[in-house]
C-alpha cells in the first residue's frame, strides 16, 4: 500500500496539472536572489617597483630606499562570494521559448588582504604590504533568450543566454605597511563605469499554480575589464596593476515568477 501511495504522489508531482514555462504573446515578471561566487579574474595584478626614497611616505624614513613586490590578488581572495538579486521581465515567443530583460545588482563587502611586500635593502628584510579595498557593487542590464524542454510538465529544464552591460561602482584602496608606519589612504583604484557583460545559465522551473512558478538556476557570468584610476599609485610605479578587473563568476539563484 505504501509503495502504491508513493507512486501516486510521484505521478501527481510530475503530472501536467500546471505547465511551467512561457506562452506566446504573454508577459512574465520574476524576482530572484542568491549568491555569486567568483572563479576567475584579478582585482589587481602583480608588479615589482623600486622606490628610491620612502621619505615622502614617512618623513622618518627619508633617504631609505625600498622595492615594492606586489602580487596579483583575485576577486575571490579580496571579496569572496557576493550577494546577487534582481528583477526580470519576460515575453513568450512560444510555449518553449521566451526573451527577457534583466536588471541585476551584485555586491560584496570590503576586503583586506596581504598584497605583497616592501623589500628594504638597508635592513635586508621584507615588510608586509596590506590592501583594503572598498566594497564591490555592480548593476547589470542584460537582454537574453531562454529555451525550455519537456512540454506540459510541471518541472521543466531550461537553458538561457544573456548579453548586456554592467556598471561597477567606484573602488578605492588603502595600502598599508604597518612595520614602516606607512599608509596610503583611500587611493582611487577603479572609476565608476560600464563594461560589457553576459552569461549562460541552466536550471529547472517548477510550477505551483497556473500563474506562479519558481526557478532554480546555476550558470556563469562574465564582466569585462573595469576602468582603472591610477592617479594615486602611478608615482610608485604601480600604474599597471589595475589594468584589468574583469570577473568570471558562478551564480546560484532562486527565482519567483508570475505569468500574466
Amino acid at each position: 500500500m505504501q509503495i502504491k501511495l508513493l507512486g501516486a504522489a510521484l505521478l501527481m508531482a510530475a503530472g501536467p496539472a500546471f505547465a511551467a514555462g512561457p506562452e506566446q504573446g504573454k508577459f512574465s515578471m520574476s524576482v530572484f536572489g542568491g549568491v555569486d561566487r567568483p572563479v576567475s579574474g584579478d582585482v589587481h595584478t602583480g608588479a615589482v617597483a623600486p622606490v628610491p626614497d620612502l621619505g615622502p611616505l614617512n618623513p622618518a624614513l627619508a633617504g631609505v630606499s625600498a622595492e615594492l613586490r606586489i602580487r596579483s590578488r583575485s576577486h575571490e581572495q579580496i571579496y569572496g562570494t557576493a550577494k546577487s538579486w534582481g528583477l526580470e521581465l519576460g515575453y513568450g515567443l512560444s510555449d518553449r521559448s521566451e526573451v527577457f530583460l534583466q536588471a541585476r545588482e551584485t555586491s560584496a563587502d570590503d576586503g583586506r588582504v596581504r598584497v605583497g611586500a616592501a623589500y628594504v635593502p638597508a635592513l635586508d628584510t621584507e615588510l608586509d604590504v596590506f590592501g583594503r579595498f572598498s566594497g564591490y557593487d555592480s548593476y547589470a542590464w542584460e537582454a537574453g533568450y531562454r529555451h525550455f524542454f519537456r512540454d506540459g510538465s510541471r518541472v521543466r529544464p531550461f537553458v538561457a543566454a544573456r548579453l548586456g552591460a554592467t556598471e561597477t561602482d567606484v573602488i578605492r584602496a588603502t595600502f598599508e605597511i604597518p612595520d614602516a608606519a606607512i599608509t596610503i589612504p583611500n587611493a582611487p583604484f577603479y572609476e565608476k563605469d560600464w563594461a560589457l557583460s553576459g552569461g549562460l545559465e541552466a536550471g529547472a522551473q517548477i510550477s505551483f499554480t497556473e500563474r506562479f512558478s519558481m526557478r532554480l538556476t546555476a550558470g556563469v557570468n562574465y564582466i569585462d575589464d573595469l576602468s582603472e584610476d591610477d592617479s594615486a599609485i602611478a608615482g610608485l610605479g604601480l600604474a599597471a596593476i589595475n589594468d584589468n578587473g574583469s570577473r568570471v563568476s558562478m551564480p546560484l539563484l532562486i527565482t519567483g515568477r508570475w505569468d500574466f
Side-chain angles (χ1 to χ4, degrees):
M1 177 64 70
Q2 290 180 342
I3 294 176
K4 290 182 179 180
L5 290 174
L6 178 59
L10 291 174
L11 286 173
M12 291 178 64
F18 307 116
E23 295 181 50
Q24 184 176 2
K26 299 292 186 179
F27 288 92
S28 66
M29 184 184 72
S30 302
V31 179
F32 60 87
V35 296
D36 190 84
R37 180 177 179 271
V39 295
S40 180
D42 292 329
V43 175
H44 67 78
T45 57
V48 176
V51 182
D53 186 358
L54 292 174
L57 301 175
N58 181 351
L61 299 176
V64 178
S65 65
E67 183 180 74
L68 293 177
R69 299 172 177 177
I70 304 301
R71 302 292 179 257
S72 63
R73 292 295 180 260
S74 68
H75 283 271
E76 171 66 21
Q77 290 172 307
I78 292 177
Y79 291 116
T81 300
K83 299 176 182 178
S84 187
W85 55 89
L87 299 171
E88 178 184 299
L89 180 65
Y91 179 77
L93 301 177
S94 70
D95 59 358
R96 301 191 67 179
S97 63
E98 64 183 357
V99 291
F100 60 86
L101 178 64
Q102 192 175 101
R104 183 178 66 258
E105 179 178 358
T106 301
S107 65
D109 294 335
D110 61 341
R112 183 177 186 268
V113 296
R114 182 182 183 274
V115 298
Y119 174 69
V120 182
L123 302 176
D124 192 24
T125 190
E126 285 189 341
L127 306 179
D128 290 336
V129 180
F130 295 92
R132 177 177 292 279
F133 297 82
S134 61
Y136 179 90
D137 292 287
S138 67
Y139 309 90
W141 290 90
E142 295 174 342
Y145 171 83
R146 184 176 291 113
H147 186 83
F148 291 86
F149 304 93
R150 293 179 60 183
D151 292 351
S153 174
R154 176 175 292 191
V155 179
R156 298 189 67 184
F158 66 84
V159 294
R162 296 174 278 103
L163 185 65
T166 295
E167 183 183 49
T168 302
D169 213 345
V170 170
I171 295 178
R172 293 180 173 272
T174 294
F175 295 101
E176 301 173 283
I177 309 177
D179 291 338
I182 290 174
T183 299
I184 303 174
N186 295 318
F189 207 71
Y190 286 114
E191 298 177 346
K192 184 176 183 177
D193 205 353
W194 292 89
L196 178 71
S197 65
L200 300 172
E201 59 187 42
Q205 183 160 293
I206 307 167
S207 287
F208 292 92
T209 72
E210 293 181 354
R211 296 301 177 190
F212 177 73
S213 58
M214 299 189 74
R215 288 199 306 268
L216 301 175
T217 305
V220 59
N221 287 337
Y222 172 75
I223 301 175
D224 206 1
D225 290 349
L226 304 182
S227 180
E228 75 276 5
D229 184 342
D230 52 22
S231 57
I233 60 176
L236 298 173
L238 302 178
I241 68 171
N242 58 348
D243 288 349
N244 51 0
S246 63
R247 173 187 173 97
V248 178
S249 59
M250 294 182 62
L252 294 174
L253 304 172
I254 184 168
T255 302
R257 170 183 171 133
W258 292 264
D259 290 276
F260 52 91

